[in-house]
Amino acid sequence: MSNSSQRSAVLDAIRLSLGVKEGEKSRETPARKRLERHPHNIVPERARRGAKASISLFNETLEGQGATVNRVKTLAAVPELVAAYLRSNNLPAEFRTGDDNLLAKIPWGKTPSLTRQQGRGQGSDAVTMSRAIAAAAETGTLFLTSGPDNPTTLNFLPDTHIALIRAGDILGSYEDAWNRLRDSYGERSLPRAVNLISGPSRTADIEQVIVMGAHGPRRFFVIIVG
Amino acid sequence: MKPASRSFKENAVKALHDDGLQQALGKVRYGFVANRAKARANLPEFETLRDQARAIKEHTLAHLDVYLEEYEKKVVESGGHVHWAPSAADARDIILRLCQDAGAHTVTKGKSMVGEEIGINDHLEAAGIKAVETDLGEYLIQIRHEPPSHIIAPAIHLTKAQVEADFRDRHKDLPQDRILEEPAQLVAEARAVLREQFLAADVGITGANLLIAETGTSVIVTNEGNGDLTQCLPRMHIVIASIEKAVPTLEDACTILRVLARSATGQEFATYNTFSTGPKRPEDPDGPEEYHVVLLDNGRTEMLGGEFHDMLRCIRCGACMNHCPVYGAVGGHAYGWVYPGPMGSVLTPSLIGIDEAGHLPNASTFCGRCESVCPMRIPLPKMMRHWREREFEKGNMPAGFRLGLKLWAFAARRPRLYQTLMGLGMPVMAKLASKKRRFAWLPLAGGWTRHRDLPAPQGKTFQTLWREQNGRQ
């Protein structure tokens, strides 16, 4: 069977079971409206607490999931924080980022011991850094988008992943974060990959014992700026 | 894989005497069950979210043709391809052809129950393409040539000693004297071995937890990050998903994801929830050059609108098996096919037929815990009962069993006769019992008394006691 006849076979079988016909306006209109308007369902109270409470919930939840979280006032404080984190974990003072313009604005030159490389992730990367476009405080979840600014491979290949987010980008709910993405990418349109990340990689596949660093990063370090 | 559900009884007996398995199963109760209860208590809106998640799926199923067409439209707009597979064989052919067209030698795989259902690995291997499972649990069972024993923790039946033995046997080029005692050491070894596979693969195949019609997006939910490495490194990403995975919008996906991880592992949210839309864009430095989705029917459209319609709401969280006393006693392999536990007892007969899987709907005490924890409120016991009725109608039960049921039904439908018989029987049974008030042997009850004593009735029927106490406790 060709793809088009297989397609009609499945769609016809659905319509037969539902007892409906193709092109019924009474069914198509409400479905299309739902796609256009994407109405909210219930959003938990913990995701509707305002900016200040959201940041502390974000912090607390993410740490509970095995991440390290730190907050600094300005971008200027980031290089020293990164250098100190890498030192304290006995990691090389080398990391890779994409072309993100906020990360580019950080005065890396102030801390000459740090070496920043640019490009997509490599199998040999020990440390990488990306910037999250938004976060949902309700479960300590960062939203990272693919593209040259923050290549997806940076999120999964290294042993240690550092994610930077501006305090103002920490929102309450997933819905808030998706609306932020709709502002950037338009309605009914997304970048190739959106990674919702809530901690370091983990597995419990052997005797239900939690082990960090199954395939992705063993350490996840989140820096809040602002 | 070839189903072994016909031997459920023999499989169960074997499982009950398997010490390693019993040790592994004991951990389910204290892990998943306790964690789910904690996650539920932590979210006051949990029950309301369950109601809404259920309503979203019902709405989607009622408009499934429309949403699938919208989904397809958006996938194509983002540069991807959609393939429709009426049967498992169609899906296997489509995937093999895509891999061959891509000139693939090695395929990495994210965990996919639909992949297990259609037996994609064996099909690829037969055509000379190496398929490597990358989820740690799936990798463990792949090297043992076993099916998964749980839908979210496929290797839950294994102990770390078994894993160590398998790794020593499989990874022969590593030093013999290396230490592999702790889970962390075993995980580190698997990570290193599989990292090479990720980087060498030509095609990555993943499943999908959700398909979003609004944006043409497939979603995978993982904790290890293996699914992401599977799909962002090779030249081609193939998504294999059954048609009922569709949801309308990102908001609807949020509601379902809020109940999924909490019901499954008891986490508030899985570590990685990845939303993929099409292949890499012109400016992207990474991601697959081709993105294909294979939409599988394989019996789903027949369930739609019928007795087993509710099963199509299942989001494969595994809560039903985590809470099932039968699964807890015999584990997943006894069920003999891909989907174990209560959800498997309903789904498996729909997919491979009641003749093959007739034992499964009977492998239930009807205690109802599965339904009470199901995030999508699927009436699993009711549907197992439907299968039992069909089985009875088809005459699949042994003659003695049917006769017994008929006699009981004759009496049960005549309350006076039933009470008289019971009123006569109880005192006699009480007298016949030894001083221990237990029977070590009883005619027609050998199946019970071979393994344990049967407590003797105390002399009065339940209804007599009820009357005497006016219904008081």
Side-chain angles (χ1 to χ4, degrees), chain A:
Chain A
M1 269 202 286
S2 71
N3 191 37
S4 79
S5 60
Q6 289 180 322
R7 181 181 188 274
S8 351
V10 175
L11 288 171
D12 290 349
I14 292 172
R15 291 181 186 123
L16 183 71
S17 286
L18 291 175
V20 298
K21 293 212 165 53
E22 189 182 349
E24 289 176 350
K25 287 276 168 288
S26 60
R27 295 173 60 252
E28 287 186 351
T29 311
R32 300 234 159 86
K33 265 195 189 144
R34 189 178 180 118
L35 297 180
E36 273 162 37
R37 295 181 189 166
H38 44 80
H40 268 205
N41 304 308
I42 184 179
V43 173
E45 181 279 328
R46 66 152 84 165
R48 297 182 268 118
R49 288 182 188 167
K52 212 174 153 198
S54 285
I55 293 176
S56 62
L57 178 63
F58 173 74
N59 209 319
E60 200 180 294
T61 317
L62 200 46
E63 283 188 339
Q65 285 148 194
T68 308
V69 187
N70 231 308
R71 186 172 181 181
V72 290
K73 283 217 170 68
T74 62
L75 285 178
V78 172
E80 197 34 58
L81 180 64
V82 170
Y85 176 81
L86 298 180
R87 256 196 321 272
S88 70
N89 285 290
N90 286 322
L91 294 167
E94 248 182 50
F95 64 99
R96 192 188 302 278
T97 72
D99 303 336
D100 187 84
N101 59 14
L102 190 75
L103 298 185
K105 270 193 219 153
I106 295 171
W108 296 109
K110 280 200 338 188
T111 311
S113 62
L114 281 178
T115 311
R116 172 178 169 241
Q117 291 176 315
Q118 273 175 273
R120 56 162 282 173
Q122 305 294 326
S124 53
D125 284 340
V127 186
T128 63
M129 182 166 181
S130 11
R131 177 214 176 170
I133 185 173
E138 60 174 303
T139 49
T141 302
L142 292 118
F143 284 58
L144 293 107
T145 47
S146 61
D149 291 352
N150 295 285
T152 306
T153 39
L154 294 177
N155 304 340
F156 295 99
L157 283 170
D159 257 23
T160 302
H161 183 215
I162 304 173
L164 182 138
I165 183 156
R166 289 188 305 203
D169 293 334
I170 299 174
L171 310 167
S173 64
Y174 311 132
E175 286 84 346
D176 293 338
W178 288 119
N179 281 332
R180 181 65 68 87
L181 262 81
R182 286 184 181 118
D183 291 344
S184 304
Y185 294 89
E187 288 285 322
R188 299 197 69 177
S189 174
L190 288 176
R192 182 193 71 78
V194 184
N195 298 114
L196 278 58
I197 304 183
S198 311
S201 156
R202 58 154 84 193
T203 184
D205 273 345
I206 301 176
E207 295 197 349
Q208 295 206 43
V209 177
I210 292 173
V211 177
M212 295 300 179
H215 290 294
R218 288 171 222 264
R219 296 181 204 82
F220 187 48
F221 180 37
V222 177
I223 302 174
I224 306 171
V225 180

Side-chain angles (χ1 to χ4, degrees), chain A residues 17 27 32 138 153 215-216, chain B residues 65 70 134 191 258 286 301:
Chain A
S17 286
R27 295 173 60 252
R32 300 234 159 86
E138 60 174 303
T153 39
H215 290 294
Chain B
D65 52 333
E70 283 285 331
T134 62
R191 177 189 172 101
R258 281 193 182 102
D286 55 16
T301 50

Side-chain angles (χ1 to χ4, degrees), chain B residues 298-318:
Chain B
N298 202 29
R300 270 84 176 169
T301 50
E302 273 173 50
M303 293 164 71
L304 196 65
E307 265 180 330
F308 303 103
H309 169 94
D310 292 336
M311 193 59 214
L312 295 172
R313 291 201 301 271
C314 178
I315 54 174
R316 308 288 190 266
C317 70

